[in-house]
Amino acid sequence: MELARVPVHNGLMTPDRTQSVPRRILLGVTGGIAAYKAAELVRCLREQGAEVQVVMTEAAQQFVTALTFQALSGRPVRTDLWDSSAEAAMGHIELARWAQLVLVAPASADFLARLAGGRADDLLATLVLATAAPVWVAPAMNRLMWANAATVANIATLTTRGIRVLGPASGEQACGEIGFGRMLEAQELADAVFATELEGPLRGMHVVISAGPTREPLDPVRFISNRSSGKMGYALAEAARDAGARVTLVSGPVALATPSGVARIDVETAAQMYQAVHATVGAADIYIGAAAVADYAPAACATQKIKKHGDIMDLSLHKAPDILASVAALSPRPFTVGFAAETCEIEKHAREKLIRKKLDLIAANEVGVERAFDRDENALLVLWSGGQRELALKSKSDLAREFVLLLAERYMLSRAQRVVEPLAS
Ligand code: C5P
């Protein structure tokens, strides 16, 4: 089959290099003249495709306004643990979970002391205690404050707790003195962020995901399609990327932005999706067929708009290629995962598909006008040979993260079995 020419979009300039770098950065700004450099830092981080949420301490707002950071980061700045409207939008625990890296720049002597003391007396200090993400600090202060035994002891405490200290550099200080205490330059800090590899259960793997609906043209203005929004497939792409994978998304027509760091190939028809998947899946470790692919397509596409005639019109449809089954039939093949949208007897139909299409894993969900399609929430029943697990109703992005953890677990087990089986035979 001749390969269709399909456009490729990259969320980042260099997707291979930056697949598992931190992408959601919580930037803490504390009180010091170097706060102005943090404004430049936001720009450097965003330039590389990162999302930046700025959290300022009260003292930081004496140096730079929250409005500056809001304009540069494109997000409202968080300053207060007790701001009920901000908390309603994203509570501080959610914010702590959202972050893939917490970077405090500049970190004042006072903030380092509060951190070393384990305090939770403002929003930023609380977030540092509540996050599972790596915490980095870029100190900035007068050279004598930096050299003071109290600061030295605090830095030692923070380092032993796994907090990474970047800088400070030596040079001329705002107070006119010369010595150690200058915050590293914005670009140096941004370079350090993007030189970091996140740990993740899919680290180093290539995952190909198909998402969204397909459109099967009847004539130049009409097509047959379905209600799929692509939200689940896109959430899976983000979750796989965050788990460390290099992700290629083969997407039907959807109204969703390309997740940063993900390579996207746009297609319309099932035949184009088949071609694009097979062009990329050869070297992939995992294929996830999350697209709602047409089962049947018009036998022919009329070259001119079909005219109205008579009361009944018959359409002749031909079977579309089954992409998922064709990937599962490859040898060698990637770990092959299907999605099953069912309107009844979910488990029975999904297990039948798991066996018939020779899949490693299938995730089934109930669909209907009020369920799953174009919704922000979903629930899944995940089945494999000899087991199953229910993933309860939650946002598609949380569900995708949970699903990717399960996928990584099943993938590792299947690869371990491949090694053991030849030894046993
Ligand atoms: O058999 P059914 O279409 O319900 O199976 C759904 C699964 O098969 C999904 O993972 C979907 O992406 C995939 N599929 C496919 N090619 C088709 C039809 C479905 O890859 N033509």
Side-chain angles (χ1 to χ4, degrees):
M1 214 181 254
E2 196 194 329
L3 290 186
R5 289 179 67 80
V6 281
V8 180
H9 306 288
N10 289 324
L12 284 178
M13 297 294 283
T14 50
D16 284 1
R17 164 65 198 81
T18 51
Q19 282 299 318
S20 51
V21 301
R23 226 167 281 284
R24 296 190 304 273
I25 296 160
L26 197 149
L27 177 63
V29 183
T30 73
I33 187 60
Y36 80 91
K37 287 195 200 172
E40 174 67 3
L41 177 56
V42 175
R43 201 188 54 75
C44 296
L45 294 171
R46 290 200 71 201
E47 227 170 51
Q48 295 281 320
E51 293 174 66
V52 183
Q53 171 65 59
V54 177
V55 177
M56 299 177 84
T57 62
E58 210 177 316
Q61 295 166 67
Q62 302 295 323
F63 292 88
V64 183
T65 67
L67 208 58
T68 305
F69 284 109
Q70 177 171 326
L72 289 168
S73 66
R75 287 167 166 262
V77 170
R78 298 288 297 267
T79 54
D80 191 356
L81 191 52
W82 311 113
D83 179 342
S84 54
S85 58
E87 280 288 308
M90 181 159 22
H92 61 277
I93 298 295
E94 275 170 279
L95 199 54
R97 278 201 205 123
W98 171 89
Q100 291 179 309
L101 175 74
V102 176
L103 169 59
V104 184
S108 65
D110 178 67
F111 187 75
L112 294 173
R114 285 199 284 131
L115 219 53
R119 304 295 299 259
D121 49 1
D122 70 1
L123 178 61
L124 184 57
T126 306
L127 287 168
V128 171
L129 284 189
T131 192
V135 177
W136 295 5
V137 293
M141 65 197 73
N142 164 274
R143 69 182 175 93
L144 292 174
M145 289 170 82
W146 175 248
N148 188 286
T151 307
V152 172
N154 289 335
I155 288 289
T157 303
L158 296 176
T159 312
T160 51
R161 284 187 202 149
I163 291 180
R164 181 170 167 194
V165 182
L166 298 123
S170 174
E172 193 173 339
Q173 303 203 296
C175 51
E177 297 184 12
I178 293 178
F180 277 96
R182 276 175 65 90
M183 188 173 93
L184 295 187
E185 295 307 321
Q187 193 60 57
E188 286 175 279
L189 292 173
D191 288 348
V193 169
F194 295 117
T196 304
E197 288 258 330
L198 287 177
E199 291 295 326
L202 297 182
R203 189 172 165 185
M205 288 183 208
H206 183 200
V207 179
V208 176
I209 301 174
S210 65
T214 60
R215 280 182 186 172
E216 309 303 331
L218 280 161
D219 68 17
V221 293
R222 302 184 181 97
F223 55 79
I224 298 175
S225 191
N226 58 64
R227 293 177 187 275
S228 168
S229 63
K231 284 179 186 166
M232 193 65 221
Y234 275 58
L236 287 167
E238 287 187 341
R241 175 203 67 195
D242 290 349
R246 181 162 75 83
V247 181
T248 304
L249 189 56
V250 178
S251 177
V254 295
L256 298 171
T258 309
S260 65
V262 167
R264 170 171 156 184
I265 302 173
D266 283 331
V267 296
E268 284 217 355
T269 64
Q272 287 172 355
M273 189 171 273
Y274 177 97
Q275 290 164 342
V277 166
H278 279 277
T280 51
V281 87
D285 301 284
I286 296 172
Y287 172 68
I288 306 177
V293 188
D295 290 329
Y296 292 90
C301 173
T303 51
Q304 303 298 330
K305 187 179 165 198
I306 301 168
K307 296 289 178 209
K308 207 184 311 180
H309 55 81
D311 290 340
I312 293 176
M313 182 187 173
D314 291 320
L315 281 179
S316 174
L317 303 176
H318 281 188
K319 204 159 191 210
D322 190 317
I323 305 166
L324 186 61
S326 70
V327 171
L330 293 172
S331 179
R333 69 175 205 171
F335 188 84
T336 311
V337 182
F339 268 70
E342 306 291 351
T343 51
C344 66
E345 294 191 273
I346 307 174
E347 187 181 336
K348 180 172 161 254
H349 291 303
R351 196 161 286 283
E352 181 271 321
K353 264 175 214 173
L354 178 80
I355 297 165
R356 177 167 46 84
K357 299 197 186 197
K358 298 189 170 58
L359 308 179
D360 293 297
L361 204 64
I362 193 158
N365 58 304
E366 197 176 345
V367 292
V369 176
E370 290 291 310
R371 305 198 67 141
F373 276 175
D374 207 16
R375 295 264 150 170
D376 291 325
E377 289 194 323
N378 200 6
L380 292 173
L381 175 66
V382 186
L383 307 170
W384 59 90
S385 165
Q388 67 183 64
R389 196 180 298 171
E390 259 178 68
L391 307 183
L393 186 73
K394 51 179 72 71
S395 75
K396 284 184 176 172
S397 64
D398 285 348
L399 188 66
R401 282 178 212 290
E402 207 177 321
F403 177 76
V404 162
L405 287 181
L406 174 56
L407 163 66
E409 192 185 305
R410 298 305 319 163
Y411 173 85
M412 295 303 170
L413 279 168
S414 86
R415 288 316 182 248
Q417 264 165 9
R418 273 196 195 178
V419 175
V420 170
E421 274 162 13
L423 291 178
S425 59

